[in-house]
Amino acid sequence: MNIPNDVATTSISWENDFSVFLPESAVFWFRRDLRLSDNAGLYQALKNNNDVIPLFIFDSNILEKLADKADARVTFILQSLELLKQTLELHGTSLSILYGDPVSLYQQIRVNAVYTNEDYEPYTRRRDDAISEIIKYHGGIFKTFKDQVIFGPEEVIKDDGHPYNIFTPYSKKWLATVNDFSSKPHPSENYFANFLASAPLPFPTLQDIGFKKTRVSFPPRVIKKSVIETYDKTRNFPGADGTTRIGVHLRFGTVSIRRLVHIAKQQNQTFLKELIWREFYQMILWHYPRVENASFKAAYDKIQWRNNLEEFDAWCNGETGYPIVDAGMRELNATGYMHNRVRMIVSSFLTKHLLIDWRWGEAYFAKKLLDYDLAANNGGWQWAAGTGCDAAPYFRVFNPALQTQKFDKSLEYIRRWVPEFDSQAYAKPLVEHAYARARALKAYGEGLS
């Protein structure tokens, strides 16, 4: 089950303008691809049409579920759109922005064609199917293209046509399939003359769409080649600057996956494997959409979770009495980011030490992570809980003290986020490790018997 989420109805002052949409025009609909260069769908739209209208829709079905009206991701999207609009205007066009239910909006748009890039989540697939029917009903075409992955969900599969459920054979097939053409960029900039000529169009403020400014800062849109080069040696140490922080840019498509894979193939196989994990989880979500709300291994839904609300709140606030866990949660709450090694530690702690349903933790990460991606977040949580397709076995319970000794021995990361950890002011541990481990093994064993 998901934890309760109170959603307030958003008051919108932004007025949609449909006057730019002409029957003979084509639309390119930006979504998880907020860039002009190496954009597969944009390239196809511009190459095959004149008078292409750039469009972005603030999807009210998504935004109205965000209880925090200072959600940093909305600010990130708006800032990325502003940069996109400025660049488009240098080329004599502009960016049309609409707000509302995309299905309803497309019932009011009459254009010759809609081009966009594929999205693999259950909601977006249903949405796209409905919009495709509307566009076709009015005599237009709706085309989608692969952009956010190197291989789509049905491209790397077993020889018998079934999807992989285990990462290692999937990754081997992925690596055997990838070639230089796979990461070849789409030269959309060669066809910018085919945008619809337009004066600058109105641009909404955060207040216009019912949100307010965040205090969270965003990592720069920079691919850190020096970090990628040493990624295999530095990635597990949260106190060091050993990760790229590129996740939010991958999530919203402000950088190209093809560019990243091209660099990773040359510089670091460990970093490349992380990108393959991302595609593995996209593939799992596509073939098994039920995992959005259920354990991949159905038997694990029989586990009797404790679901103690006070302990869950302590975990959320970084007050469990386990410094490495608390450091991670405080980093997440303050920055919208958490180091990947620490993500594994805190998720193991919630599900194993506290016996709290992985869906509660997944939902909390969904609220807080700048780089939140349903497929990757769901896959990571199910991996930690032991419920997933290619998961850590249920009897693997991370020991926070040993994890600290191995990955934050100098306590640099802990001191940064939990300065009071060695004082009387610090929270007492919610549970003793050995006791929690034995309790988890018993609960899992009984649930699976």
Side-chain angles (χ1 to χ4, degrees), residues 144-217:
T144 62
F145 299 87
K146 178 183 63 177
D147 184 72
Q148 62 169 301
V149 293
I150 298 298
F151 296 117
E154 297 184 274
E155 289 188 278
V156 178
I157 54 177
K158 298 177 184 178
D159 292 341
D160 64 5
H162 291 92
Y164 285 102
N165 295 338
I166 304 296
F167 175 73
T168 298
Y170 172 86
S171 66
K172 288 180 178 178
K173 184 75 168 283
W174 193 102
L175 288 167
T177 307
V178 75
N179 53 36
D180 290 342
F181 182 79
S182 306
S183 56
K184 184 179 179 181
H186 300 277
S188 37
E189 61 274 6
N190 291 349
Y191 299 92
F192 283 176
N194 289 343
F195 279 121
L196 177 72
S198 173
L201 295 171
F203 191 79
T205 64
L206 280 168
Q207 290 73 25
D208 286 333
I209 56 175
F211 285 80
K212 55 188 178 181
K213 191 175 182 179
T214 180
R215 292 181 292 178
V216 172
S217 59

Side-chain angles (χ1 to χ4, degrees), residues 14-34:
W14 178 252
E15 293 185 3
N16 292 325
D17 180 3
F18 298 98
S19 62
V20 71
F21 300 103
L22 306 175
E24 66 272 18
S25 299
V27 160
F28 177 72
W29 180 14
F30 287 97
R31 305 192 305 194
R32 294 180 55 145
D33 48 11
L34 305 183

Side-chain angles (χ1 to χ4, degrees), residues 24-228:
E24 66 272 18
S25 299
V27 160
F28 177 72
W29 180 14
F30 287 97
R31 305 192 305 194
R32 294 180 55 145
D33 48 11
L34 305 183
R35 67 187 188 281
L36 294 177
S37 63
D38 190 16
N39 185 317
L42 178 61
Y43 167 72
Q44 293 292 337
L46 292 171
K47 184 180 178 182
N48 293 290
N49 299 272
N50 296 317
D51 297 332
V52 174
I53 302 166
L55 169 67
F56 182 84
I57 297 175
F58 280 105
D59 188 335
S60 58
N61 297 313
I62 296 173
L63 294 189
E64 289 181 359
K65 292 179 181 178
L66 301 178
D68 181 4
K69 295 310 170 186
D71 193 299
R73 293 163 296 192
V74 180
T75 299
F76 181 86
I77 292 170
L78 202 65
Q79 289 181 1
S80 300
L81 291 175
E82 188 170 20
L83 178 61
L84 196 63
K85 182 174 183 286
Q86 291 169 356
T87 308
L88 286 167
E89 288 170 359
L90 293 176
H91 295 279
T93 187
S94 192
L95 179 65
S96 179
I97 296 179
L98 303 177
Y99 179 97
D101 170 23
V103 175
S104 298
L105 292 172
Y106 273 107
Q107 289 173 338
Q108 303 175 66
I109 294 173
R110 297 291 181 268
V111 290
N112 182 52
V114 175
Y115 288 70
T116 194
N117 287 314
E118 294 171 356
D119 200 335
Y120 306 120
E121 298 183 0
Y123 162 69
T124 54
R125 290 172 64 185
R126 294 191 301 270
R127 180 187 68 187
D128 286 359
D129 287 345
I131 292 170
S132 177
E133 290 301 313
I134 292 168
I135 300 299
K136 291 175 182 177
Y137 177 79
H138 291 291
I141 59 173
F142 184 84
K143 291 190 173 184
T144 62
F145 299 87
K146 178 183 63 177
D147 184 72
Q148 62 169 301
V149 293
I150 298 298
F151 296 117
E154 297 184 274
E155 289 188 278
V156 178
I157 54 177
K158 298 177 184 178
D159 292 341
D160 64 5
H162 291 92
Y164 285 102
N165 295 338
I166 304 296
F167 175 73
T168 298
Y170 172 86
S171 66
K172 288 180 178 178
K173 184 75 168 283
W174 193 102
L175 288 167
T177 307
V178 75
N179 53 36
D180 290 342
F181 182 79
S182 306
S183 56
K184 184 179 179 181
H186 300 277
S188 37
E189 61 274 6
N190 291 349
Y191 299 92
F192 283 176
N194 289 343
F195 279 121
L196 177 72
S198 173
L201 295 171
F203 191 79
T205 64
L206 280 168
Q207 290 73 25
D208 286 333
I209 56 175
F211 285 80
K212 55 188 178 181
K213 191 175 182 179
T214 180
R215 292 181 292 178
V216 172
S217 59
F218 307 116
R221 191 187 302 192
V222 176
I223 298 175
K224 300 177 181 178
K225 293 183 181 179
S226 60
V227 173
I228 293 175

